[in-house]
mmCIF file of all heavy atoms in Angstrom:
data_model
loop_
_atom_site.group_PDB
_atom_site.id
_atom_site.type_symbol
_atom_site.label_atom_id
_atom_site.label_comp_id
_atom_site.label_asym_id
_atom_site.label_seq_id
_atom_site.Cartn_x
_atom_site.Cartn_y
_atom_site.Cartn_z
ATOM 1 N N PHE V 202 2.301 3.101 0.408
ATOM 2 C CA PHE V 202 2.509 2.245 1.577
ATOM 3 C C PHE V 202 3.931 2.369 2.127
ATOM 4 O O PHE V 202 4.592 1.368 2.400
ATOM 5 C CB PHE V 202 2.185 0.778 1.258
ATOM 6 C CG PHE V 202 0.809 0.571 0.713
ATOM 7 C CD1 PHE V 202 0.604 0.336 -0.644
ATOM 8 C CD2 PHE V 202 -0.297 0.626 1.551
ATOM 9 C CE1 PHE V 202 -0.675 0.154 -1.148
ATOM 10 C CE2 PHE V 202 -1.581 0.441 1.049
ATOM 11 C CZ PHE V 202 -1.770 0.197 -0.312
ATOM 12 N N ASP V 203 4.387 3.589 2.307
ATOM 13 C CA ASP V 203 5.780 3.828 2.723
ATOM 14 C C ASP V 203 5.840 4.596 4.043
ATOM 15 O O ASP V 203 6.147 5.795 4.037
ATOM 16 C CB ASP V 203 6.510 4.598 1.620
ATOM 17 C CG ASP V 203 7.999 4.719 1.879
ATOM 18 O OD1 ASP V 203 8.608 3.713 2.296
ATOM 19 O OD2 ASP V 203 8.553 5.807 1.671
ATOM 20 N N PRO V 204 5.585 3.929 5.162
ATOM 21 C CA PRO V 204 5.274 2.513 5.365
ATOM 22 C C PRO V 204 3.769 2.277 5.499
ATOM 23 O O PRO V 204 2.987 3.205 5.592
ATOM 24 C CB PRO V 204 5.957 2.212 6.702
ATOM 25 C CG PRO V 204 5.784 3.487 7.481
ATOM 26 C CD PRO V 204 5.905 4.589 6.439
ATOM 27 N N VAL V 205 3.408 0.997 5.534
ATOM 28 C CA VAL V 205 2.030 0.599 5.754
ATOM 29 C C VAL V 205 1.623 0.996 7.177
ATOM 30 O O VAL V 205 2.421 0.915 8.105
ATOM 31 C CB VAL V 205 1.839 -0.922 5.514
ATOM 32 C CG1 VAL V 205 2.703 -1.763 6.440
ATOM 33 C CG2 VAL V 205 0.384 -1.317 5.605
ATOM 34 N N THR V 206 0.383 1.462 7.327
ATOM 35 C CA THR V 206 -0.144 1.877 8.626
ATOM 36 C C THR V 206 -1.384 1.049 8.965
ATOM 37 O O THR V 206 -1.926 0.340 8.103
ATOM 38 C CB THR V 206 -0.547 3.362 8.616
ATOM 39 O OG1 THR V 206 -1.722 3.515 7.796
ATOM 40 C CG2 THR V 206 0.577 4.253 8.094
ATOM 41 N N ILE V 207 -1.866 1.212 10.199
ATOM 42 C CA ILE V 207 -3.110 0.521 10.552
ATOM 43 C C ILE V 207 -4.285 1.102 9.764
ATOM 44 O O ILE V 207 -5.271 0.411 9.530
ATOM 45 C CB ILE V 207 -3.393 0.544 12.071
ATOM 46 C CG1 ILE V 207 -3.525 1.971 12.592
ATOM 47 C CG2 ILE V 207 -2.347 -0.250 12.838
ATOM 48 C CD1 ILE V 207 -4.071 2.075 14.013
ATOM 49 N N GLY V 208 -4.170 2.339 9.337
ATOM 50 C CA GLY V 208 -5.197 2.931 8.481
ATOM 51 C C GLY V 208 -5.268 2.237 7.133
ATOM 52 O O GLY V 208 -6.353 1.903 6.643
ATOM 53 N N HIS V 209 -4.106 1.998 6.520
ATOM 54 C CA HIS V 209 -4.066 1.249 5.257
ATOM 55 C C HIS V 209 -4.672 -0.144 5.454
ATOM 56 O O HIS V 209 -5.490 -0.605 4.658
ATOM 57 C CB HIS V 209 -2.621 1.047 4.777
ATOM 58 C CG HIS V 209 -1.915 2.274 4.356
ATOM 59 N ND1 HIS V 209 -0.657 2.584 4.806
ATOM 60 C CD2 HIS V 209 -2.255 3.274 3.509
ATOM 61 C CE1 HIS V 209 -0.248 3.707 4.254
ATOM 62 N NE2 HIS V 209 -1.209 4.158 3.470
ATOM 63 N N LEU V 210 -4.231 -0.803 6.520
ATOM 64 C CA LEU V 210 -4.670 -2.165 6.768
ATOM 65 C C LEU V 210 -6.180 -2.235 7.006
ATOM 66 O O LEU V 210 -6.845 -3.174 6.562
ATOM 67 C CB LEU V 210 -3.899 -2.741 7.961
ATOM 68 C CG LEU V 210 -3.905 -4.248 8.113
ATOM 69 C CD1 LEU V 210 -3.483 -4.961 6.840
ATOM 70 C CD2 LEU V 210 -3.004 -4.652 9.264
ATOM 71 N N ASP V 211 -6.731 -1.231 7.649
ATOM 72 C CA ASP V 211 -8.175 -1.176 7.863
ATOM 73 C C ASP V 211 -8.921 -1.123 6.526
ATOM 74 O O ASP V 211 -9.892 -1.857 6.314
ATOM 75 C CB ASP V 211 -8.528 0.033 8.728
ATOM 76 C CG ASP V 211 -10.025 0.206 8.868
ATOM 77 O OD1 ASP V 211 -10.692 -0.723 9.362
ATOM 78 O OD2 ASP V 211 -10.539 1.269 8.462
ATOM 79 N N ILE V 212 -8.475 -0.268 5.614
ATOM 80 C CA ILE V 212 -9.116 -0.166 4.295
ATOM 81 C C ILE V 212 -8.987 -1.487 3.539
ATOM 82 O O ILE V 212 -9.945 -1.954 2.901
ATOM 83 C CB ILE V 212 -8.512 1.008 3.480
ATOM 84 C CG1 ILE V 212 -8.758 2.351 4.175
ATOM 85 C CG2 ILE V 212 -9.036 1.004 2.039
ATOM 86 C CD1 ILE V 212 -10.201 2.787 4.284
ATOM 87 N N ILE V 213 -7.825 -2.122 3.615
ATOM 88 C CA ILE V 213 -7.609 -3.408 2.934
ATOM 89 C C ILE V 213 -8.543 -4.472 3.500
ATOM 90 O O ILE V 213 -9.201 -5.203 2.742
ATOM 91 C CB ILE V 213 -6.133 -3.845 3.054
ATOM 92 C CG1 ILE V 213 -5.227 -2.883 2.280
ATOM 93 C CG2 ILE V 213 -5.948 -5.283 2.568
ATOM 94 C CD1 ILE V 213 -3.742 -3.007 2.597
ATOM 95 N N ARG V 214 -8.624 -4.571 4.804
ATOM 96 C CA ARG V 214 -9.491 -5.587 5.442
ATOM 97 C C ARG V 214 -10.960 -5.365 5.108
ATOM 98 O O ARG V 214 -11.692 -6.309 4.825
ATOM 99 C CB ARG V 214 -9.286 -5.581 6.952
ATOM 100 C CG ARG V 214 -7.999 -6.230 7.380
ATOM 101 C CD ARG V 214 -7.878 -6.268 8.893
ATOM 102 N NE ARG V 214 -6.686 -7.002 9.259
ATOM 103 C CZ ARG V 214 -5.892 -6.669 10.265
ATOM 104 N NH1 ARG V 214 -6.187 -5.627 11.027
ATOM 105 N NH2 ARG V 214 -4.818 -7.378 10.535
ATOM 106 N N ARG V 215 -11.388 -4.125 5.162
ATOM 107 C CA ARG V 215 -12.786 -3.829 4.833
ATOM 108 C C ARG V 215 -13.075 -4.113 3.362
ATOM 109 O O ARG V 215 -14.154 -4.612 3.020
ATOM 110 C CB ARG V 215 -13.109 -2.389 5.215
ATOM 111 C CG ARG V 215 -13.158 -2.231 6.739
ATOM 112 C CD ARG V 215 -13.094 -0.809 7.244
ATOM 113 N NE ARG V 215 -14.060 0.078 6.648
ATOM 114 C CZ ARG V 215 -13.890 1.406 6.592
ATOM 115 N NH1 ARG V 215 -12.808 1.977 7.100
ATOM 116 N NH2 ARG V 215 -14.799 2.162 6.042
ATOM 117 N N SER V 216 -12.122 -3.837 2.503
ATOM 118 C CA SER V 216 -12.282 -4.147 1.072
ATOM 119 C C SER V 216 -12.369 -5.652 0.856
ATOM 120 O O SER V 216 -13.152 -6.122 0.021
ATOM 121 C CB SER V 216 -11.115 -3.574 0.267
ATOM 122 O OG SER V 216 -11.086 -2.177 0.340
ATOM 123 N N ALA V 217 -11.579 -6.406 1.605
ATOM 124 C CA ALA V 217 -11.574 -7.868 1.467
ATOM 125 C C ALA V 217 -12.926 -8.472 1.840
ATOM 126 O O ALA V 217 -13.283 -9.549 1.349
ATOM 127 C CB ALA V 217 -10.462 -8.471 2.320
ATOM 128 N N LYS V 218 -13.690 -7.778 2.676
ATOM 129 C CA LYS V 218 -15.035 -8.246 3.029
ATOM 130 C C LYS V 218 -16.051 -7.943 1.935
ATOM 131 O O LYS V 218 -17.060 -8.623 1.809
ATOM 132 C CB LYS V 218 -15.498 -7.592 4.338
ATOM 133 C CG LYS V 218 -14.755 -8.068 5.555
ATOM 134 C CD LYS V 218 -15.256 -7.340 6.783
ATOM 135 C CE LYS V 218 -14.471 -7.738 8.018
ATOM 136 N NZ LYS V 218 -14.886 -6.971 9.203
ATOM 137 N N LEU V 219 -15.778 -6.917 1.131
ATOM 138 C CA LEU V 219 -16.739 -6.468 0.129
ATOM 139 C C LEU V 219 -16.533 -7.074 -1.254
ATOM 140 O O LEU V 219 -17.475 -7.176 -2.031
ATOM 141 C CB LEU V 219 -16.675 -4.941 -0.001
ATOM 142 C CG LEU V 219 -17.091 -4.135 1.217
ATOM 143 C CD1 LEU V 219 -16.810 -2.652 0.984
ATOM 144 C CD2 LEU V 219 -18.555 -4.365 1.528
ATOM 145 N N PHE V 220 -15.290 -7.450 -1.565
ATOM 146 C CA PHE V 220 -14.966 -7.904 -2.921
ATOM 147 C C PHE V 220 -14.402 -9.313 -2.899
ATOM 148 O O PHE V 220 -13.815 -9.747 -1.912
ATOM 149 C CB PHE V 220 -13.969 -6.937 -3.575
ATOM 150 C CG PHE V 220 -14.503 -5.533 -3.667
ATOM 151 C CD1 PHE V 220 -14.119 -4.562 -2.754
ATOM 152 C CD2 PHE V 220 -15.425 -5.188 -4.653
ATOM 153 C CE1 PHE V 220 -14.626 -3.274 -2.812
ATOM 154 C CE2 PHE V 220 -15.941 -3.900 -4.721
ATOM 155 C CZ PHE V 220 -15.547 -2.940 -3.804
ATOM 156 N N ASP V 221 -14.594 -10.013 -4.025
ATOM 157 C CA ASP V 221 -14.129 -11.393 -4.126
ATOM 158 C C ASP V 221 -12.597 -11.476 -4.105
ATOM 159 O O ASP V 221 -12.029 -12.389 -3.522
ATOM 160 C CB ASP V 221 -14.645 -12.036 -5.419
ATOM 161 C CG ASP V 221 -16.161 -12.045 -5.462
ATOM 162 O OD1 ASP V 221 -16.774 -12.550 -4.499
ATOM 163 O OD2 ASP V 221 -16.731 -11.524 -6.427
ATOM 164 N N LYS V 222 -11.969 -10.518 -4.740
ATOM 165 C CA LYS V 222 -10.508 -10.488 -4.810
ATOM 166 C C LYS V 222 -10.060 -9.043 -4.628
ATOM 167 O O LYS V 222 -10.654 -8.130 -5.200
ATOM 168 C CB LYS V 222 -10.031 -11.011 -6.163
ATOM 169 C CG LYS V 222 -8.537 -11.016 -6.339
ATOM 170 C CD LYS V 222 -8.166 -11.588 -7.704
ATOM 171 C CE LYS V 222 -6.677 -11.629 -7.912
ATOM 172 N NZ LYS V 222 -6.336 -12.178 -9.234
ATOM 173 N N VAL V 223 -9.003 -8.852 -3.830
ATOM 174 C CA VAL V 223 -8.434 -7.528 -3.614
ATOM 175 C C VAL V 223 -6.949 -7.586 -3.942
ATOM 176 O O VAL V 223 -6.226 -8.415 -3.384
ATOM 177 C CB VAL V 223 -8.640 -7.049 -2.163
ATOM 178 C CG1 VAL V 223 -7.941 -5.711 -1.937
ATOM 179 C CG2 VAL V 223 -10.125 -6.943 -1.832
ATOM 180 N N ILE V 224 -6.542 -6.725 -4.840
ATOM 181 C CA ILE V 224 -5.126 -6.615 -5.181
ATOM 182 C C ILE V 224 -4.610 -5.328 -4.546
ATOM 183 O O ILE V 224 -5.066 -4.241 -4.898
ATOM 184 C CB ILE V 224 -4.890 -6.580 -6.702
ATOM 185 C CG1 ILE V 224 -5.519 -7.800 -7.372
ATOM 186 C CG2 ILE V 224 -3.388 -6.488 -7.010
ATOM 187 C CD1 ILE V 224 -5.553 -7.715 -8.899
ATOM 188 N N VAL V 225 -3.703 -5.476 -3.603
ATOM 189 C CA VAL V 225 -3.050 -4.321 -2.990
ATOM 190 C C VAL V 225 -1.819 -4.054 -3.838
ATOM 191 O O VAL V 225 -0.918 -4.894 -3.913
ATOM 192 C CB VAL V 225 -2.670 -4.599 -1.525
ATOM 193 C CG1 VAL V 225 -1.968 -3.391 -0.919
ATOM 194 C CG2 VAL V 225 -3.907 -4.990 -0.719
ATOM 195 N N VAL V 226 -1.820 -2.919 -4.508
ATOM 196 C CA VAL V 226 -0.734 -2.633 -5.446
ATOM 197 C C VAL V 226 0.103 -1.465 -4.941
ATOM 198 O O VAL V 226 -0.420 -0.383 -4.694
ATOM 199 C CB VAL V 226 -1.256 -2.411 -6.890
ATOM 200 C CG1 VAL V 226 -2.225 -1.271 -6.976
ATOM 201 C CG2 VAL V 226 -0.116 -2.209 -7.868
ATOM 202 N N VAL V 227 1.380 -1.741 -4.765
ATOM 203 C CA VAL V 227 2.337 -0.704 -4.389
ATOM 204 C C VAL V 227 2.666 0.055 -5.663
ATOM 205 O O VAL V 227 3.204 -0.508 -6.618
ATOM 206 C CB VAL V 227 3.610 -1.308 -3.759
ATOM 207 C CG1 VAL V 227 4.622 -0.214 -3.447
ATOM 208 C CG2 VAL V 227 3.251 -2.102 -2.504
ATOM 209 N N MET V 228 2.294 1.325 -5.665
ATOM 210 C CA MET V 228 2.523 2.162 -6.840
ATOM 211 C C MET V 228 3.707 3.076 -6.589
ATOM 212 O O MET V 228 3.972 3.477 -5.461
ATOM 213 C CB MET V 228 1.287 3.025 -7.134
ATOM 214 C CG MET V 228 -0.004 2.267 -7.365
ATOM 215 S SD MET V 228 -0.041 1.264 -8.855
ATOM 216 C CE MET V 228 -0.053 2.503 -10.127
ATOM 217 N N SER V 229 4.374 3.410 -7.649
ATOM 218 C CA SER V 229 5.462 4.382 -7.568
ATOM 219 C C SER V 229 4.841 5.764 -7.663
ATOM 220 O O SER V 229 4.190 6.091 -8.644
ATOM 221 C CB SER V 229 6.437 4.153 -8.713
ATOM 222 O OG SER V 229 7.442 5.127 -8.702
ATOM 223 N N ASN V 230 5.025 6.570 -6.634
ATOM 224 C CA ASN V 230 4.484 7.925 -6.614
ATOM 225 C C ASN V 230 5.588 8.880 -7.042
ATOM 226 O O ASN V 230 6.564 9.073 -6.315
ATOM 227 C CB ASN V 230 3.974 8.276 -5.208
ATOM 228 C CG ASN V 230 3.282 9.615 -5.145
ATOM 229 O OD1 ASN V 230 3.582 10.525 -5.912
ATOM 230 N ND2 ASN V 230 2.355 9.739 -4.213
ATOM 231 N N TYR V 231 5.436 9.473 -8.219
ATOM 232 C CA TYR V 231 6.488 10.331 -8.756
ATOM 233 C C TYR V 231 6.799 11.516 -7.839
ATOM 234 O O TYR V 231 7.908 12.034 -7.838
ATOM 235 C CB TYR V 231 6.142 10.817 -10.161
ATOM 236 C CG TYR V 231 5.039 11.844 -10.215
ATOM 237 C CD1 TYR V 231 5.315 13.203 -10.183
ATOM 238 C CD2 TYR V 231 3.704 11.457 -10.289
ATOM 239 C CE1 TYR V 231 4.298 14.143 -10.211
ATOM 240 C CE2 TYR V 231 2.687 12.394 -10.312
ATOM 241 C CZ TYR V 231 2.997 13.737 -10.283
ATOM 242 O OH TYR V 231 1.996 14.669 -10.300
ATOM 243 N N ARG V 232 5.828 11.930 -7.022
ATOM 244 C CA ARG V 232 6.050 13.043 -6.094
ATOM 245 C C ARG V 232 6.856 12.632 -4.868
ATOM 246 O O ARG V 232 7.366 13.469 -4.150
ATOM 247 C CB ARG V 232 4.718 13.644 -5.652
ATOM 248 C CG ARG V 232 4.008 14.384 -6.772
ATOM 249 C CD ARG V 232 2.715 14.959 -6.279
ATOM 250 N NE ARG V 232 1.703 13.895 -6.291
ATOM 251 C CZ ARG V 232 0.433 14.074 -6.030
ATOM 252 N NH1 ARG V 232 -0.015 15.252 -5.696
ATOM 253 N NH2 ARG V 232 -0.415 13.079 -6.087
ATOM 254 N N LYS V 233 6.952 11.315 -4.623
ATOM 255 C CA LYS V 233 7.626 10.844 -3.418
ATOM 256 C C LYS V 233 8.847 9.979 -3.722
ATOM 257 O O LYS V 233 9.396 9.360 -2.819
ATOM 258 C CB LYS V 233 6.641 10.024 -2.565
ATOM 259 C CG LYS V 233 5.452 10.805 -2.072
ATOM 260 C CD LYS V 233 4.537 9.917 -1.262
ATOM 261 C CE LYS V 233 3.303 10.652 -0.780
ATOM 262 N NZ LYS V 233 2.409 9.770 -0.028
ATOM 263 N N GLN V 234 9.279 9.918 -4.975
ATOM 264 C CA GLN V 234 10.342 9.001 -5.361
ATOM 265 C C GLN V 234 11.632 9.198 -4.576
ATOM 266 O O GLN V 234 12.305 8.234 -4.244
ATOM 267 C CB GLN V 234 10.632 9.109 -6.863
ATOM 268 C CG GLN V 234 9.580 8.431 -7.695
ATOM 269 C CD GLN V 234 9.839 8.564 -9.178
ATOM 270 O OE1 GLN V 234 10.602 9.403 -9.618
ATOM 271 N NE2 GLN V 234 9.197 7.725 -9.955
ATOM 272 N N ASN V 235 11.999 10.404 -4.278
ATOM 273 C CA ASN V 235 13.264 10.655 -3.592
ATOM 274 C C ASN V 235 13.146 10.628 -2.080
ATOM 275 O O ASN V 235 14.140 10.823 -1.387
ATOM 276 C CB ASN V 235 13.852 11.996 -4.051
ATOM 277 C CG ASN V 235 14.190 11.986 -5.532
ATOM 278 O OD1 ASN V 235 14.575 10.959 -6.068
ATOM 279 N ND2 ASN V 235 14.031 13.116 -6.182
ATOM 280 N N THR V 236 11.947 10.399 -1.569
ATOM 281 C CA THR V 236 11.754 10.412 -0.123
ATOM 282 C C THR V 236 11.338 9.050 0.430
ATOM 283 O O THR V 236 11.014 8.950 1.602
ATOM 284 C CB THR V 236 10.696 11.459 0.269
ATOM 285 O OG1 THR V 236 9.444 11.106 -0.332
ATOM 286 C CG2 THR V 236 11.106 12.860 -0.153
ATOM 287 N N SER V 237 11.361 8.016 -0.384
ATOM 288 C CA SER V 237 10.948 6.686 0.068
ATOM 289 C C SER V 237 11.926 6.128 1.093
ATOM 290 O O SER V 237 13.141 6.240 0.938
ATOM 291 C CB SER V 237 10.858 5.721 -1.115
ATOM 292 O OG SER V 237 9.847 6.131 -2.001
ATOM 293 N N CYS V 238 11.380 5.531 2.129
ATOM 294 C CA CYS V 238 12.194 4.896 3.169
ATOM 295 C C CYS V 238 12.369 3.406 2.917
ATOM 296 O O CYS V 238 13.317 2.806 3.396
ATOM 297 C CB CYS V 238 11.539 5.091 4.530
ATOM 298 S SG CYS V 238 11.524 6.807 5.058
ATOM 299 N N PHE V 239 11.444 2.835 2.177
ATOM 300 C CA PHE V 239 11.454 1.403 1.906
ATOM 301 C C PHE V 239 11.417 1.178 0.402
ATOM 302 O O PHE V 239 10.731 1.914 -0.313
ATOM 303 C CB PHE V 239 10.228 0.733 2.548
ATOM 304 C CG PHE V 239 10.191 0.849 4.047
ATOM 305 C CD1 PHE V 239 9.613 1.946 4.659
ATOM 306 C CD2 PHE V 239 10.752 -0.135 4.839
ATOM 307 C CE1 PHE V 239 9.581 2.072 6.035
ATOM 308 C CE2 PHE V 239 10.730 -0.016 6.223
ATOM 309 C CZ PHE V 239 10.150 1.084 6.822
ATOM 310 N N THR V 240 12.111 0.159 -0.061
ATOM 311 C CA THR V 240 12.043 -0.191 -1.475
ATOM 312 C C THR V 240 10.656 -0.752 -1.767
ATOM 313 O O THR V 240 9.925 -1.150 -0.843
ATOM 314 C CB THR V 240 13.100 -1.241 -1.852
ATOM 315 O OG1 THR V 240 12.770 -2.483 -1.197
ATOM 316 C CG2 THR V 240 14.514 -0.798 -1.483
ATOM 317 N N VAL V 241 10.298 -0.816 -3.015
ATOM 318 C CA VAL V 241 9.012 -1.404 -3.403
ATOM 319 C C VAL V 241 8.937 -2.841 -2.915
ATOM 320 O O VAL V 241 7.911 -3.276 -2.379
ATOM 321 C CB VAL V 241 8.820 -1.308 -4.935
ATOM 322 C CG1 VAL V 241 7.646 -2.142 -5.387
ATOM 323 C CG2 VAL V 241 8.647 0.139 -5.361
ATOM 324 N N GLU V 242 10.009 -3.585 -3.061
ATOM 325 C CA GLU V 242 10.032 -4.986 -2.627
ATOM 326 C C GLU V 242 9.827 -5.099 -1.118
ATOM 327 O O GLU V 242 9.113 -5.983 -0.641
ATOM 328 C CB GLU V 242 11.351 -5.655 -3.027
ATOM 329 C CG GLU V 242 11.533 -5.817 -4.518
ATOM 330 C CD GLU V 242 11.951 -4.526 -5.248
ATOM 331 O OE1 GLU V 242 12.403 -3.559 -4.586
ATOM 332 O OE2 GLU V 242 11.795 -4.489 -6.480
ATOM 333 N N GLU V 243 10.441 -4.194 -0.345
ATOM 334 C CA GLU V 243 10.263 -4.215 1.104
ATOM 335 C C GLU V 243 8.825 -3.880 1.485
ATOM 336 O O GLU V 243 8.243 -4.513 2.376
ATOM 337 C CB GLU V 243 11.222 -3.218 1.767
ATOM 338 C CG GLU V 243 12.664 -3.664 1.730
ATOM 339 C CD GLU V 243 13.638 -2.582 2.157
ATOM 340 O OE1 GLU V 243 13.322 -1.374 2.026
ATOM 341 O OE2 GLU V 243 14.743 -2.947 2.613
ATOM 342 N N ARG V 244 8.239 -2.915 0.813
ATOM 343 C CA ARG V 244 6.852 -2.558 1.097
ATOM 344 C C ARG V 244 5.924 -3.726 0.793
ATOM 345 O O ARG V 244 4.978 -3.993 1.538
ATOM 346 C CB ARG V 244 6.440 -1.320 0.303
ATOM 347 C CG ARG V 244 7.096 -0.057 0.828
ATOM 348 C CD ARG V 244 6.687 1.152 0.049
ATOM 349 N NE ARG V 244 7.780 1.527 -0.837
ATOM 350 C CZ ARG V 244 7.698 2.355 -1.846
ATOM 351 N NH1 ARG V 244 6.539 2.909 -2.162
ATOM 352 N NH2 ARG V 244 8.735 2.649 -2.569
ATOM 353 N N MET V 245 6.197 -4.421 -0.301
ATOM 354 C CA MET V 245 5.390 -5.593 -0.652
ATOM 355 C C MET V 245 5.518 -6.666 0.426
ATOM 356 O O MET V 245 4.521 -7.284 0.814
ATOM 357 C CB MET V 245 5.799 -6.133 -2.018
ATOM 358 C CG MET V 245 5.405 -5.219 -3.164
ATOM 359 S SD MET V 245 6.039 -5.786 -4.757
ATOM 360 C CE MET V 245 5.194 -7.337 -4.931
ATOM 361 N N GLU V 246 6.720 -6.895 0.909
ATOM 362 C CA GLU V 246 6.935 -7.903 1.949
ATOM 363 C C GLU V 246 6.219 -7.518 3.245
ATOM 364 O O GLU V 246 5.591 -8.354 3.894
ATOM 365 C CB GLU V 246 8.428 -8.093 2.212
ATOM 366 C CG GLU V 246 8.747 -9.073 3.329
ATOM 367 C CD GLU V 246 8.153 -10.465 3.132
ATOM 368 O OE1 GLU V 246 7.930 -10.886 1.974
ATOM 369 O OE2 GLU V 246 7.894 -11.142 4.154
#
């Protein structure tokens, strides 16, 4: 989610309709660690 897009949000919204609880988890991608524009905390916010 670096950064979040309308595509991400679409998948999240559709998942929220299908499941009782949806946890959107910001994962650390080892392939992208040095290219992140936003901190994990910023992405969560």
Side-chain angles (χ1 to χ4, degrees):
F202 305 104
D203 188 43
V205 60
T206 70
I207 60 169
H209 292 131
L210 198 52
D211 175 59
I212 298 295
I213 294 166
R214 285 183 175 142
R215 289 164 52 204
S216 297
K218 290 178 183 176
L219 295 173
F220 301 100
D221 300 306
K222 180 179 181 180
V223 176
I224 305 169
V225 179
V226 59
V227 177
M228 302 293 291
S229 176
N230 185 331
Y231 72 92
R232 291 180 279 186
K233 298 179 182 178
Q234 284 178 342
N235 297 327
T236 62
S237 295
C238 293
F239 298 88
T240 67
V241 169
E242 293 78 16
E243 288 170 334
R244 288 180 256 166
M245 290 174 64
E246 177 56 27

